[in-house]
Amino acid sequence: MAAVEQDPLLLLRQSIASGGAILPTASDDASAPEVSLSQATHLTFTSPSRIALPIDMPTRFTSDDEPVDLRSIYFAWLNREVAIPEYNASASQLNDELAGKGPVRKLSFVERLDLITWLEGASEESEYIKPLAGDKDGSTSTAAAALASKGAAAPTIGAAVGRSGKGTLDPRLAAIYNSERKMGDRNSVLRGIKPTDFSHVRKHAAIFMSKKPLQPSSTNVSNPSIASHQKPKRPDPIILLSPSASSLLRMSNIKSFLEGGQYVPPDSVAASSSNSASMLHINRLMKDVEPNRPMRFILVEGPEQFKPEYWNRVVAVFTTGQSWQFKNYKWSSPHELFRHIPGIYVGWRGEQPPESVVGWGHRVMNVGVERWKETAHGVDTSRWRDREVVEGIWKMIEGNMRSKGWRRDQAPSSI
């Protein structure tokens, strides 16, 4: 192993991007054979070179402000495709096999989604991953993660931070310079090999380099370009779907509907690729909330893994009119629920909505889509009205988010 400590998160992301093998082993020997996760004491990375790290070492990923160990991170990645109940059951089984060696930490569905998105390279930032040591603004971590997602060698912690200094060098350049071959230039050749001590200059420069505290009236405080670098991270809004089998919109077809503007049946071939997903995320530009870049929305069918504060992030609830859907909600009464969160009922165009939906009043948006027409090629090309329905739904969600206090850099503290 290198003298400078390697960051396990960057190594894991780099190995995933390059397709290198990740092996649980029972020894710190990089050539040790693979064993089961319950017997492993180390995790061996084979790309770009074989490196073995203790499997119980803490990482920069935090849950409830506590660092999560490498075994729990790797276990969450292995179970990225399974639903939350299966993930929790597998974690409990592994904890029984570990028998006191240190339990696997069960991540919530939002934490697991954020971790998997970051490891896959789909995102360069994570609200649960702390910056590298000495990297206060997170820029070096972001640059190193970007290189790792492209299969490049991730820089060591000490080298990346040491070369970048305190704002004297772009972190991306520091990551590149970490593997450069040092060569002499004209000045080094003319000066010869005798080192010159310039430490005395530091004492004279300290007078001019000392930083003065910013005053409230300073122009830098009101400078928007400087203030923008200090904005807090805003959590992603959440949309709840109906788990009912009679719902026209399920996890298998909701992405094509809300993001693509076209309805397909949930059991069709076009929708089957997302049929096993327990959570999804889609992107949408909300001009009245954040006009510069699309917002990411998290879609789930139930709140089983919700923390209390997650309810402040729910911006819409899709329903079929069946009140059993709200049994485990924070507000189990439909009338109370839709006082806080807008509801959406999607049925067939021309059909009357259920009496329960009508009884819930104007707080539940009632829309209809054209019935699906089976064709020889399995594709209905007459879905031009779907986008009109989708735009109406997003307009309602955006207006409600604006009224609840969603902004470019903040989310509401209560709804």
Side-chain angles (χ1 to χ4, degrees):
M1 181 176 177
V4 182
E5 182 182 0
Q6 298 286 339
D7 180 65
L9 287 180
L10 290 179
L11 282 174
L12 182 58
R13 176 167 166 159
Q14 177 191 359
S15 297
I16 293 170
S18 61
I22 306 170
L23 308 175
T25 59
S27 170
D28 59 355
D29 186 357
S31 61
E34 181 179 4
V35 298
S36 64
L37 197 57
S38 61
Q39 299 176 347
T41 60
H42 289 75
L43 197 64
T44 300
F45 303 90
T46 60
S47 176
S49 59
R50 295 182 71 92
I51 299 174
L53 297 181
I55 202 168
D56 57 352
M57 72 180 302
T59 68
R60 294 184 289 116
F61 191 92
T62 60
S63 176
D64 295 330
D65 295 328
E66 295 182 2
V68 180
D69 61 285
L70 181 56
R71 180 191 284 112
S72 301
I73 296 294
Y74 181 61
F75 178 78
W77 169 253
L78 291 179
N79 292 271
R80 61 191 180 279
E81 299 293 342
V82 304
I84 288 293
E86 299 176 33
Y87 164 73
N88 290 334
S90 300
S92 300
Q93 180 180 357
L94 179 58
N95 286 334
D96 294 338
E97 297 174 357
L98 289 172
K101 294 181 182 179
V104 168
R105 191 180 187 101
K106 299 178 183 178
L107 304 181
S108 66
F109 83 97
V110 174
E111 293 170 341
R112 192 163 69 115
L113 175 62
D114 194 270
L115 172 64
I116 293 171
T117 303
W118 188 86
L119 288 176
E120 289 177 337
S123 173
E124 304 302 336
E125 296 180 355
S126 171
E127 59 181 299
Y128 300 102
I129 298 180
K130 293 185 177 181
L132 294 169
D135 182 19
K136 296 182 179 180
D137 61 355
S139 56
T140 302
S141 300
T142 303
L147 287 174
S149 64
K150 296 177 181 179
T156 59
I157 297 175
V161 177
R163 279 299 297 266
S164 60
K166 297 183 178 180
T168 60
L169 186 63
D170 189 300
R172 293 174 178 83
L173 290 177
I176 297 172
Y177 288 160
N178 187 44
S179 57
E180 72 175 350
R181 187 178 68 174
K182 297 177 177 58
M183 300 178 64
D185 58 4
R186 178 176 59 88
N187 293 327
S188 61
V189 172
L190 293 177
R191 288 170 182 248
I193 61 174
K194 182 179 179 180
T196 305
D197 184 11
F198 291 100
S199 60
H200 65 282
V201 181
R202 187 176 302 173
K203 298 179 182 179
H204 299 287
I207 303 175
F208 305 100
M209 299 296 292
S210 60
K211 296 182 179 179
K212 297 181 179 179
L214 295 176
Q215 301 298 327
S217 59
S218 173
T219 56
N220 289 337
V221 176
S222 59
N223 191 334
S225 62
I226 297 178
S228 62
H229 293 288
Q230 303 173 353
K231 63 181 181 180
K233 292 183 177 179
R234 183 204 60 225
D236 297 329
I238 301 173
I239 296 177
L240 283 170
L241 305 181
S242 172
S244 174
S246 63
S247 177
L248 299 185
L249 295 174
R250 301 294 301 275
M251 295 295 287
S252 57
N253 64 344
I254 188 65
K255 188 177 181 69
S256 63
F257 185 71
L258 290 182
E259 197 172 53
Q262 186 176 28
Y263 175 81
V264 294
D267 55 351
S268 67
V269 177
S272 60
S273 59
S274 302
N275 196 34
S276 61
S278 59
M279 65 189 77
L280 294 172
H281 67 268
I282 61 176
N283 297 304
R284 171 75 181 189
L285 181 64
M286 313 295 279
K287 295 182 179 180
D288 290 343
V289 179
E290 185 172 357
N292 296 327
R293 62 177 181 176
M295 295 181 63
R296 188 175 74 166
F297 290 78
I298 299 175
L299 283 74
V300 292
E301 285 188 343
E304 289 78 10
Q305 301 296 322
F306 267 31
K307 294 181 180 180
E309 62 268 21
Y310 288 174
W311 283 104
N312 297 328
R313 298 162 55 180
V314 180
V315 296
V317 174
F318 281 83
T319 180
T320 58
Q322 299 166 302
S323 57
W324 59 262
Q325 173 187 347
F326 317 123
K327 180 180 179 180
N328 297 325
Y329 282 27
K330 179 179 180 179
W331 302 282
S332 57
S333 169
H335 292 281
E336 182 68 17
L337 170 67
F338 295 125
R339 284 180 54 193
H340 299 272
I341 307 172
I344 303 171
Y345 170 80
V346 179
W348 297 122
R349 186 184 297 273
E351 290 188 357
Q352 292 293 328
E355 294 183 1
S356 56
V357 174
V358 176
W360 293 337
H362 69 281
R363 298 184 185 275
V364 179
M365 182 182 187
N366 178 23
V367 296
V369 295
E370 297 287 346
R371 284 187 173 275
W372 179 262
K373 300 177 182 178
E374 295 293 341
T375 63
H377 301 285
V379 178
D380 185 0
T381 58
S382 61
R383 309 300 308 180
W384 56 273
R385 286 186 176 180
D386 291 346
R387 184 167 295 277
E388 180 183 358
V389 174
V390 172
E391 291 300 322
I393 292 175
W394 279 118
K395 183 177 181 181
M396 183 274 293
I397 294 176
E398 185 173 13
N400 177 75
M401 291 178 63
R402 184 69 179 177
S403 64
K404 292 293 186 181
W406 285 88
R407 299 293 183 268
R408 178 173 59 88
D409 55 357
Q410 68 180 19
S413 57
S414 62
I415 58 174

